[in-house]
């Protein structure tokens, strides 16, 4: 442990730590104030366009070749070598680095943040003091808790939990949900005899009563409230209440389905009232629909209710139409009731996980709950007599793990059903193991969701897409022949991974003293650029990361493993012997020879220490693999350099020499003695061409990469990173590329790819080891990546991957060139690996249309190889109409909760209600374009409660959950008769009863004109000054402010006369002004990687008065800083835009205001390297030298 740290001198530690603290301090004190531009939300909820922009045709003359260096842009100048030499990257000044640090503003980088630990458990023997007096075989019995206790003792789980004493819920607390009359009635049951109890129970559906039922129900509810206090009071991280009777069927004034009081509903209201929680997510995975919980919150947008249950077209209890996917809530609660109905028995883990990934998780990230409550029934487990499903305890461990990434880990499970005693005990045990931080077991039956599950999931998606931005899909319709082809392939590939399934009842919970391994050696800093001290792949990268981990106390929580160099035998599993010897020979080369050798590769520098450092980096990854596979540690991080994923079998490339991840994967298979299934996830912003090539014909290694592609113009250039690259021979389908075709991809875009593509394929593949090429050059502030992933975002990506491979996951550092960004990002990932909950993602914008297009494109390519991607078409399903009316939006509400569930501060945002920001239609459409509205309908409720309405809509009122209770069949004919004319809940299918839909026509021409008049699509036409924020004096950069309006090619983001994407609209601080006027302020980039394209000023000088070379206009011209030709702006004839498309020259200078725009970064740029050309332009335009510029 000490040997790896000894290389860090005290002086170096103090310097790096102090620097990190100073930078974080500056980022907080100088960070931009939160500003909201006009029109963030529209008064009507408009849906994003489904237009999927096609990739522009690639001109062969404009194709960038591999000879172009990493982080640069090629151009056609004949003096390219001279330009590169002259434009070599210069040292970033302290001011520039501070500007990059500001890009991290708003992130929670406080090293003093307390990490909560501990899992609470409430288990009270008093809860067994009631049973059915007239039926000893009744399934809801005391033996349920006895079986659970025995299992928890057997697995030593009781001692690992923080035990809490159960308490009784007060009557005032129960009244948060239930009526006083109903509570009083239940209280009287304490004094009834058996006959009276039986008569009263007979008036309800599927219940029994005991003199102790009331006290036990109060104790059960109070147990959950005790955990709410403990979790929200920061006593523990999460918890579980092992209680009975269950509660999720209980309604406001009605016992139902074994339930008296609704524990999770009371807990939600209690958290809101006592702890000021604004948003609560309730997840109900009991096999029976929790209609009681749904009815309680069906009009409330502050509580999101998600239920996944057996339905069978209404034939399964509780036989309610309100249990179907079409029920979405009432009034302002529309969209906040989500039902996933299973229409057949035998549903497996993969079906449940698919519903979570495709529906629950995206919505939850948009809703941003502050507390997650689970109605944790285990009657969907295989062997349960009620559920008849085929889920396993391991499956519930995975569901629990997914939920632990929400709400900062504040998660409480409340026991509901489960009637196979053995299965119930194992299910509770599995969830508790996961809450305690143990890794999820591998699934017993991996694969893809069945066709029935896909249908149900697709129906629910169709119903809720109008309400949630994160569910928007840009799916191209399939041709009929493609559908038939898929059906054939599905039959052929059935059981693709059946050979890899595990025996039933196999839940292995490894016992580890050390959870996370860490490999680092300061010797790897000796690899450096002898000719350019300011090359982005600097030795300081790993030092800063390691010092930051020490500063946060994370390194001390890891097991520091000694680093060893990779052996030749290990290197030769991926590289040729000739290439290894070629790199080894550089150790003895002279400086000039090293320079010549480096120039023979693409984007490579070499020094005498390069071979040693590359050996150490690869050997460190192999050492970590050994530790994970031997059980020495569960997971690990490798802080290594040089990076590796660009390295080919016989060539260095893109700063990389030996492919550490690839060698580590082969080393793992050698250790296992077989073709271990390995998933490699590459989230470096550059495509890992080397890794892809090494495994493209190997089905045992699944390679998945998310990277900047930009239609083949982003390093490493060409089509290798395209979605069409799927592998070859036996490895076809095992190469998966998600190519981003533009900058600014952030947390939402990566999470959407995770939910829709990465995790579904990964669960179907069922890896035994996960390796991550963890480059952090997609992080905010990185000078090469141009993306916006936050440290918190990386923490969530890591957490989601940790559910795979029994938790065996290794992160190996690749790229990342902003020292602050990579330090914070790696620290966030380390927190996740150590079991700390990922922090909430604040201000999460919807995924970009360009990101959705890329994800959809990859799905369309790979759905023939992976059944988990084959969601059904809407028009193919009778129960899911493809063209459906959407509930009409109700008037604005006074409740300050937005459509996304976020609280809106008074005076600083739009009115609450069902409104959402309208997103950009596509990269090809203007923000001022027409927006089509969907046909809407309103369902008119008239007096009756949703509880009564839904009961009246029962499909089979005469059938109860228990066919008989003591020989007496229960029915609800009376209650159904009294409410048979009541309107049902609002649904997205035809209404029930006498209510007729009110349909509104599509937007009129006048409506469209009003939309066009707005400065930004989705902006309100009128807005008073006191509703706006910001002033000139306090203007700071807030790049997230306008991201929801449009992206790279919107009118606000064009070079030739447009505004930067980092612009903010200002409408305050000017005295008299028209509220409709819009002002812009621009904060340019302080550096961009394309400055190397700036050529020397021609000998004849620079003339800003030149006309456009094509049309001769003198209005709004721009000069290209590579070839110095002059063309007009987009708002004249767009000849400069066309010149950029043809030449790929990135930087242009405005002849009007001398600003500089980068087409690749899609941003204005201000840097010292532009000083000379700006001075010449100023002299040409004004006849005098330019004043001193900062």
């Amino acid at each position: 442990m000490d040997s790896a740290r000894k290389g860090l001198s005290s002086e170096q530690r103090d310097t790096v730590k102090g620097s990190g603290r100073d930078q974080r301090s500056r980022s907080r004190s100088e960070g931009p104030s939160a500003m909201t531009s006009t029109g963030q939300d529209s008064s009507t909820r408009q849906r994003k366009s489904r237009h999927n922009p096609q990739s522009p045709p690639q001109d062969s003359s404009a194709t960038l070749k591999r000879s172009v260096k990493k982080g640069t842009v090629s151009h056609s100048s004949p003096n390219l070598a001279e330009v590169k030499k002259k434009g070599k990257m210069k040292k970033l000044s302290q001011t520039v680095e501070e500007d990059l640090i500001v890009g991290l503003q708003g992130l929670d980088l406080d090293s003093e943040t307390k990490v909560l630990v501990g899992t609470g458990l409430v288990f009270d023997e008093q809860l067994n003091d009631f049973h059915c007096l007239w039926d000893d075989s009744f399934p809801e019995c005391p033996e349920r808790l006895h079986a659970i206790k025995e299992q928890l003792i057997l697995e030593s789980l009781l001692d690992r939990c923080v035990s809490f004493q159960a308490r009784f819920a007060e009557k005032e607390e129960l009244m948060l949900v239930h009526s006083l009359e109903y509570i009083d009635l239940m209280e009287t049951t304490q004094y009834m005899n058996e006959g009276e109890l039986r008569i009263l129970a007979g008036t309800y559906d599927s219940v029994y009563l005991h003199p102790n039922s009331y006290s036990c129900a109060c104790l059960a509810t109070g147990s959950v409230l005790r955990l709410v206090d403990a979790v929200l009071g920061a006593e523990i991280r999460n918890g579980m209440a092992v209680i009975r009777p269950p509660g999720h069927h209980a309604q406001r004034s009605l016992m139902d389905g074994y339930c008296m009081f609704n524990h999770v509903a009371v807990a939600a209201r209690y958290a809101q009232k006592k702890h000021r929680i604004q948003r609560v997510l309730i997840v109900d995975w009991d096999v029976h629909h929790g209609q009681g919980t749904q009815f309680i919150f069906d009009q409330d947008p502050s509580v999101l209710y998600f239920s996944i249950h057996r339905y069978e077209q209404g034939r399964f209890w509780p036989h309610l139409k309100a249990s179907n996917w079409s029920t979405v809530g009432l009034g302002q609660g529309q969209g906040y009731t989500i039902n996933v109905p299973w229409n057949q028995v035998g549903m497996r883990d993969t079906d449940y996980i698919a519903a979570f990934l495709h529906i629950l998780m995206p919505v939850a990230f948009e809703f941003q709950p502050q507390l997650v409550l689970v109605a944790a029934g285990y009657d969907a487990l295989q062997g349960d007599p009620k559920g008849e499903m085929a889920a396993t305890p391991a499956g519930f461990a995975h569901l629990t793990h997914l939920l632990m990434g929400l709400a900062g880990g504040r998660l409480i499970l409340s026991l509901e059903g489960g009637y196979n005693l053995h299965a119930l005990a194992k299910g509770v045990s599995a969830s508790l193991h996961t809450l305690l931080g143990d890794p999820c077991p591998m699934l017993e039956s991996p694969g893809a969701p069945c066709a029935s599950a896909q249908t149900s999931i697709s129906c629910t998606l169709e119903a809720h897409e109008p309400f949630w931005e994160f569910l928007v899909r840009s799916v191209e319709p399939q041709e009929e022949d493609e559908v038939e082809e898929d059906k054939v392939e599905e039959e052929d590939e059935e059981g693709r991974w059946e050979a890899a399934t595990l025996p039933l009842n196999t839940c292995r919970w490894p016992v580890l003293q050390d959870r996370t391994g860490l490999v680092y050696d300061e010797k790897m800093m000796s690899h450096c650029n002898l000719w350019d001290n300011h090359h982005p792949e600097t030795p300081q990268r790993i030092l800063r990361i390691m010092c930051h981990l020490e500063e946060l106390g994370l390194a001390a929580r890891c097991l520091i493993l000694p680093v060893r160099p990779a052996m030749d035998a290990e290197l030769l599993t991926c590289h040729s012997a000739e290439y290894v010897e070629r790199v080894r020979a550089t150790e003895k080369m002279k400086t000039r020879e090293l320079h010549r050798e480096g120039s023979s590769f693409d984007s490579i520098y070499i020094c005498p220490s390069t071979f040693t450092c590359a050996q150490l980096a690869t050997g460190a990854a192999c050492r970590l693999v050994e530790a994970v596979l031997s059980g020495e540690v569960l997971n690990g991080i490798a802080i290594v350099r040089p990076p590796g994923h660009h390295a080919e079998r016989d060539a260095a490339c893109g700063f990389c020499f030996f492919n550490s991840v690839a060698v580590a994967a082969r080393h793992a298979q050698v250790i296992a003695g077989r073709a271990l299934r390995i998933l490699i996830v590459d989230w470096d912003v550059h495509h890992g061409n080397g890794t892809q090539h090494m495994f493209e014909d190997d089905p045992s290694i699944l390679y998945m990469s998310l990277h900047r592609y930009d239609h083949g113009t982003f390093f490493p250039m060409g089509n290798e990173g395209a979605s069409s690259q799927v592998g070859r021979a036996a490895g076809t389908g095992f190469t998966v590329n998600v190519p981003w075709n533009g900058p600014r991809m952030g947390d939402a875009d990566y999470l959407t790819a995770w939910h829709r593509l990465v995790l579904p394929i990964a669960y179907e593949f069922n890896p035994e080891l996960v390796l991550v090429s963890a480059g952090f050059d997609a992080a905010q502030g990185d000078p090469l990546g141009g993306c916006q992933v936050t440290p918190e975002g990386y923490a969530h990506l890591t957490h989601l991957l940790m559910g795979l491979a029994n938790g065996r996951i290794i992160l190996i550092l690749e790229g990342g060139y902003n020292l602050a960004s990579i330090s914070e990002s790696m620290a966030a990932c380390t927190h996740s690996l150590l079991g700390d909950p990922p922090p909430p993602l604040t201000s999460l914008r919807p995924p970009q249309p360009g990101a959705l297009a890329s994800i959809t494109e990859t799905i369309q390519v790979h759905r023939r190889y992976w059944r988990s991607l084959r969601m059904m078409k809407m028009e193919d399903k009778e129960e899911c109409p493809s063209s459906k009316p959407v509930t009409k939006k109700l008037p604005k509400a006074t409740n300050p909760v937005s459509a996304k569930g976020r609280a809106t501060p008074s005076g600083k945002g739009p009115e609450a209600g069902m409104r959402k920001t309208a997103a950009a239609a596509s990269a090809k459409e203007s923000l001022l374009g027409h927006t089509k509205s969907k046909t809407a309908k309103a369902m008119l409720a008239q007096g009756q409660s949703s509880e009564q309405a839904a009961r009246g809509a029962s499909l089979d009122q005469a059938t109860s959950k228990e066919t008989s209770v003591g020989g007496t069949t229960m029915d609800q004919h009376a209650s159904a008769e009294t409410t048979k004319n009541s309107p049902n809940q609002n649904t997205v299918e035809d209404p029930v009863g006498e209510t007729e839909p009110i349909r509104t026509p599509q937007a009129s021409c006048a409506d469209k004109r009003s939309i066009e008049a707005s400065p930004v699509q989705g902006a309100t036409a009128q807005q008073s000054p006191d509703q706006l924020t910001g002033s000139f004096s306090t203007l700071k950069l807030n790049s997230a402010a306008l991201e929801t309006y449009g992206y790279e090619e919107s009118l606000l983001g064009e070079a030739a006369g447009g505004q930067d994407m980092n612009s903010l609209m200002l409408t305050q601080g000017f005295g008299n002004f028209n509220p409709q006027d819009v002002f812009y302020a621009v904060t340019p980039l302080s550096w961009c990687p394309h400055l190397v394209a700036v050529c020397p000023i021609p000998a004849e000088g620079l003339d800003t008065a030149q006309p456009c070379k094509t049309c001769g206009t003198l209005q709004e011209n721009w000069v290209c800083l590579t070839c110095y030709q002059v063309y007009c702006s987009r708002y004249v004839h767009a000849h400069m835009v066309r010149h950029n498309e043809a030449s790929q020259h990135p930087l242009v200078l405005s002849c009007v205001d001398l600003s500089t725009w980068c087409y690749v970064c899609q941003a204005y740029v201000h840097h010292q390297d532009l000083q000379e050309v700006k001075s010449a332009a100023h002299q040409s335009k004004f006849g005098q030298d330019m004043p001193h510029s900062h």
Side-chain angles (χ1 to χ4, degrees), residues 891-910:
K892 294 183 293 186
T894 57
N895 189 337
V897 178
S898 69
K900 294 184 180 181
R902 296 185 180 89
T904 304
S906 176
K908 292 198 175 184

Side-chain angles (χ1 to χ4, degrees), residues 1061-1097:
M1061 296 306 296
N1062 291 334
S1063 302
L1064 292 177
M1065 290 182 286
L1066 303 179
T1067 51
Q1068 262 190 337
F1070 288 88
N1072 295 327
F1073 69 97
N1074 188 332
Q1076 290 180 309
D1077 290 340
V1078 178
F1079 301 87
Y1080 295 93
V1082 178
T1083 302
L1085 297 179
S1086 55
W1087 179 85
C1088 97
H1090 311 100
L1091 292 170
V1092 294
V1094 178
C1095 288
I1097 300 172

Side-chain angles (χ1 to χ4, degrees), residues 23 90-100 534 1086-1087 1167-1168:
Q23 288 165 346
K90 298 182 178 181
K91 182 179 182 180
L92 295 177
S93 64
Q94 183 67 25
T95 302
V96 172
E97 185 162 353
E98 288 180 17
D99 290 339
L100 293 175
H534 313 301
S1086 55
W1087 179 85
H1167 189 266
Q1168 185 179 355

Side-chain angles (χ1 to χ4, degrees), residues 301-346:
S302 71
V303 177
L304 173 62
Y305 176 71
F306 174 90
S307 178
I308 183 167
H309 50 266
R310 182 176 170 186
Y311 182 62
E312 292 189 284
Q313 306 296 348
R315 293 188 297 274
F316 192 69
W317 197 91
H319 315 290
L320 298 177
K321 192 175 183 63
S323 304
N324 204 3
W325 57 266
S326 53
T327 299
V328 298
L330 288 167
Q332 293 190 39
Q334 293 175 76
Y336 294 89
T337 293
I338 303 177
N339 288 317
V340 181
W342 293 147
N343 287 313
Q344 70 179 36
V345 298

Side-chain angles (χ1 to χ4, degrees), residues 901-1056:
R902 296 185 180 89
T904 304
S906 176
K908 292 198 175 184
E911 291 288 331
M914 298 304 294
R915 297 179 294 175
K916 287 195 176 182
T917 304
S922 73
K924 296 294 182 184
E925 295 178 333
S926 164
L927 285 176
L928 304 183
H930 297 277
T931 301
K932 294 182 180 180
S933 62
K934 288 192 174 183
T935 304
K937 75 173 182 180
M939 304 293 298
L940 306 179
Q942 302 181 8
Q944 289 91 344
S945 68
S946 58
E947 176 182 315
Q948 293 172 320
R951 291 185 67 199
S954 174
L955 299 183
D956 186 0
Q957 294 91 343
T959 306
S960 61
K961 186 174 183 179
E962 283 298 310
T963 55
S964 65
V965 179
T968 304
T969 300
M970 299 298 149
D971 64 61
Q972 291 183 312
H973 279 297
S975 62
E977 190 68 29
T978 59
T979 58
K980 64 182 179 181
N981 293 323
S982 301
N984 197 0
Q985 283 197 332
N986 284 12
T987 68
V988 293
E989 58 184 20
D990 291 339
V992 176
E994 301 176 358
T995 306
E996 294 295 329
I998 300 176
R999 301 188 180 272
T1000 59
Q1002 291 191 349
S1004 64
C1005 294
D1007 295 332
K1008 294 180 179 180
R1009 283 196 297 269
S1010 67
I1011 293 173
E1012 289 184 359
S1014 302
V1016 177
Q1017 183 180 359
T1020 52
Q1022 299 283 344
Q1023 196 167 10
S1024 61
D1026 61 354
Q1027 291 176 298
L1028 306 174
T1029 61
S1031 68
F1032 239 5
S1033 60
T1034 60
L1035 176 62
K1036 298 287 183 181
L1037 172 64
N1038 184 355
S1039 61
L1042 291 179
E1043 285 179 345
T1044 55
Y1045 293 132
Y1047 301 96
E1048 310 140 48
E1049 296 183 32
S1050 70
L1051 292 182
L1052 295 179
E1054 289 297 341

Side-chain angles (χ1 to χ4, degrees), residues 623-658:
R623 175 66 184 92
L624 202 48
V625 164
E626 294 165 0
V628 168
L629 293 185
S630 67
E632 187 178 2
V633 294
L634 174 64
N635 54 47
I637 58 172
I639 306 173
V640 296
R641 64 177 294 271
H645 69 144
H646 294 306
E648 302 279 5
R649 174 175 172 77
D650 53 6
C653 179
F655 311 162
C656 304
F657 296 88
F658 297 137

Side-chain angles (χ1 to χ4, degrees), residues 46 74 83 127 130 186 373 414 479 528 531 720 761 892 919 1007 1054 1067 1096 1118 1124 1169 1185:
Q46 299 167 336
S74 72
V83 172
L127 293 171
F130 75 102
M186 294 298 104
L373 301 172
S414 175
E479 300 296 333
C528 61
W531 305 272
E720 294 168 326
I761 292 179
K892 294 183 293 186
D1007 295 332
E1054 289 297 341
T1067 51
W1118 292 70
Y1124 288 89
D1169 283 0
D1185 293 333

Side-chain angles (χ1 to χ4, degrees), residues 190-205:
Q190 299 176 95
Y191 315 108
M192 293 182 181
N193 59 39
E194 180 178 339
E196 294 169 329
L197 290 170
R198 190 164 181 174
I199 292 173
L200 179 59
T203 65
Y204 298 111
D205 181 11

